[in-house]
Amino acid sequence: MGLPVDADDAADGLIEYLRASPSPFHACQQAARLLTAAGFTAVTETRAFPAEPGRYFLIRGGSLVAWSTEHAAGPATPLRVVGAHTDSPNLRVKPQPDLARAGWRQLGVEVYGGPLLNSWLDRDLGLSGRVSLRADSTGDAAESVEHPGAADPAGVHTRLLHIDEPILRISQLAIHLDRSVNSEGVTLNPQQHLAPIWGLESTAPQGFRQFLADRLDVHADAVLGWDLMTHDTAPPRRIGASGELIAGGRLDNLATSYAGTRALIAASGRRPAQPLTRLLVLFDHEEVGSVSERGAYSALLPAVLERMVLAAGGSRDDYHRALAGTVIASGDMAHATHPNYAERHEPQHQITVGGGPVLKINNNLRYATGAPGAAAFVLACEQAGVPVQHFVTRSDLPCGSTVGPMTAALTGAQTVDFGAPMLSMHSAREMAGVADQAMYIAALTAFLDPA
């Protein structure tokens, strides 16, 4: 029996999602478009939650929560939850970024998260994110924020910006001026060496704020603030002798965000074997610790869950009863075994691209996986007809983490951490397998629709 998801369709859909989502704000917008097309309705946090069963979602900045209560049996119905994150390591523009050195115009940037810094060198970079404007400013050259979440402050209007043009470049020092670079490696000081060049000081000496204003068709004094970041303008694409691989930025973790969105849409059209509420949560700020108003360590998910229960006529006790029966699958990408560095991987837990979803386990709880959660995920993979791999970090290396332990601690729900295999994690351009994307969607669909 073949997979219920076509491999080419899954890969092509992911590539388009990556292309259209250079920032967490755009990733949520693109997920919202898919959800809206599937009958989900946007909810505004400042208004009462809907009491009627149905399909809903809300956006708070770079985070999104979507849920289906179509097949719930009262406010205490347990949930199946898929979680992921929308942010990726990159370089973000400082509040006063204008620099002029040695005849060059540059931008001041700050490192966000833990990127492979050398991967950002000698790439043609664009800008994306959001800009906050005075509410009475005009212009329609940039995208508006299409779906409501938490309201803007009084007097403020927020717009999305996506400049997918090669306007920035971080040029590497020539080998003639650093003869040891190939033997000793590139050493980069984030303050000194990462400021992108975006022109010559002698031409068009406008500042960054005026540049934004021109792009947004507003006056410069209308620009009040921004959350803007760099991205590689080279498009994501299939590569390899047989086109069996995908290369592109932000696979960690937009591959999971896309798979989770597709899975929620697919599962919501099915009647579950037992009453169930299905939910997808895409968190921002995972790469910097998740401590924000919309990160995994915030009140976002517990607040949405509680409001869902109360809107359905339930009580605080119903809320805790629902959580007691809930299982959360926390998805983040996983390290495939690198052929050039096989010794850096746990020898009994080799991970292959094309080998299916990866169950992630760490007994020091850097991952939240326990036996019951692991069992639920294994059963989902069996139901979907896909293989499952097991990842453990070498005992002599530190282990990374993700949103799973935080969501487990805040909700008390059974939680399992999982991922899809990839190479070059945290590079400006990462790589994963085509076949894994269809298996990923199929496994998460089965998790949200247990037999």
Side-chain angles (χ1 to χ4, degrees):
M1 178 179 177
L3 278 179
V5 182
D6 179 75
D8 290 326
D9 175 67
D12 292 344
L14 172 59
I15 287 171
E16 174 57 25
Y17 185 69
L18 293 172
R19 186 202 62 77
S21 303
S23 78
F25 313 109
H26 290 86
C28 289
Q29 183 190 59
Q30 295 305 312
R33 287 176 175 170
L34 293 172
L35 292 165
T36 300
F40 284 75
T41 300
V43 170
T44 303
E45 287 193 80
T46 53
R47 299 175 183 171
F49 267 35
E52 302 79 13
R55 303 180 183 186
Y56 305 99
F57 72 91
L58 64 82
I59 292 175
R60 182 189 291 183
S63 296
L64 177 146
V65 186
W67 63 95
S68 168
T69 53
E70 297 164 275
H71 302 296
T77 301
L79 298 95
R80 281 289 175 113
V81 180
V82 169
H85 68 87
T86 59
D87 60 322
S88 300
N90 54 27
L91 306 174
R92 303 204 169 189
V93 181
K94 292 179 177 179
Q96 299 182 94
D98 293 301
L99 300 172
R101 292 189 292 201
W104 299 99
R105 296 170 63 213
Q106 294 179 278
L107 283 184
V109 295
E110 183 176 3
V111 174
Y112 176 87
L116 285 167
L117 294 178
N118 64 295
S119 71
W120 289 88
L121 303 178
D122 294 327
R123 291 186 183 273
D124 297 334
L125 305 177
L127 277 176
S128 66
R130 65 180 180 179
V131 182
S132 289
L133 307 170
R134 298 182 191 276
D136 58 356
S137 60
T138 60
D140 55 9
E143 307 163 64
S144 294
V145 177
E146 293 190 356
H147 299 285
D152 278 332
V156 176
H157 174 61
T158 299
R159 302 256 295 276
L160 298 191
L161 183 69
H162 183 182
I163 303 176
D164 201 26
E165 304 165 20
I167 60 172
L168 302 170
R169 187 178 180 89
I170 306 170
S171 292
Q172 189 169 186
L173 185 65
I175 192 170
H176 312 79
L177 304 178
D178 185 7
R179 295 288 184 178
S180 64
V181 65
N182 287 334
S183 58
E184 298 181 10
V186 179
T187 300
L188 297 172
N189 180 293
Q191 175 69 23
Q192 183 178 355
H193 301 138
L194 294 181
I197 291 169
W198 70 316
L200 298 174
E201 192 177 358
S202 60
T203 61
Q206 65 175 341
F208 184 69
R209 187 179 298 272
Q210 184 62 56
F211 170 79
L212 289 182
D214 291 345
R215 287 286 179 152
L216 296 166
D217 192 23
V218 298
H219 294 295
D221 63 2
V223 178
L224 300 175
W226 54 75
D227 297 311
L228 293 171
M229 58 207 72
T230 57
H231 67 273
D232 181 11
T233 58
R237 61 184 304 175
R238 290 174 68 157
I239 66 170
S242 301
E244 70 268 45
L245 302 171
I246 298 173
R250 304 173 300 283
L251 282 164
D252 173 25
N253 188 32
L254 292 189
T256 311
S257 297
Y258 177 72
T261 303
R262 285 277 302 264
L264 178 64
I265 291 170
S268 295
R270 306 175 185 177
R271 179 172 294 279
Q274 300 292 331
L276 196 63
T277 294
R278 295 154 169 145
L279 187 140
L280 169 73
V281 56
L282 308 180
F283 290 113
D284 199 354
H285 294 152
E286 187 274 344
E287 299 292 356
V288 291
S290 297
V291 182
S292 69
E293 91 289 356
R294 60 183 184 269
Y297 204 57
S298 73
L300 174 60
L301 179 59
V304 169
L305 296 177
E306 183 177 5
R307 292 185 69 180
M308 289 166 55
V309 170
L310 296 177
S315 63
R316 284 283 295 175
D317 187 61
D318 290 322
Y319 167 62
H320 289 290
R321 288 171 59 201
L323 286 179
T326 291
V327 184
I328 299 174
S330 162
D332 207 344
M333 299 298 277
H335 299 294
T337 301
H338 197 302
N340 298 341
Y341 303 91
E343 73 281 358
R344 303 294 288 180
H345 301 268
E346 214 289 320
Q348 295 301 110
H349 297 82
Q350 302 286 290
I351 304 298
T352 61
V353 166
V358 180
L359 187 60
K360 301 161 79 170
I361 298 170
N362 178 261
N363 285 312
N364 290 300
L365 296 184
R366 298 292 289 170
Y367 303 130
T369 306
F377 191 76
V378 169
L379 288 175
C381 289
E382 287 183 359
Q383 180 180 327
V386 304
V388 61
Q389 306 184 79
H390 292 76
F391 174 82
V392 176
T393 302
R394 282 181 61 103
S395 297
D396 54 359
L397 290 177
C399 181
S401 190
T402 184
V403 301
M406 298 179 191
T407 53
L410 289 172
T411 64
Q414 292 284 354
T415 304
V416 53
D417 272 300
F418 67 95
M422 65 175 292
L423 293 181
S424 303
M425 189 179 291
H426 286 200
S427 172
R429 195 167 179 86
E430 302 164 322
M431 187 171 73
V434 165
D436 286 307
Q437 309 317 310
M439 289 189 279
Y440 212 24
I441 295 170
L444 295 186
T445 303
F447 176 82
L448 291 171
D449 185 35

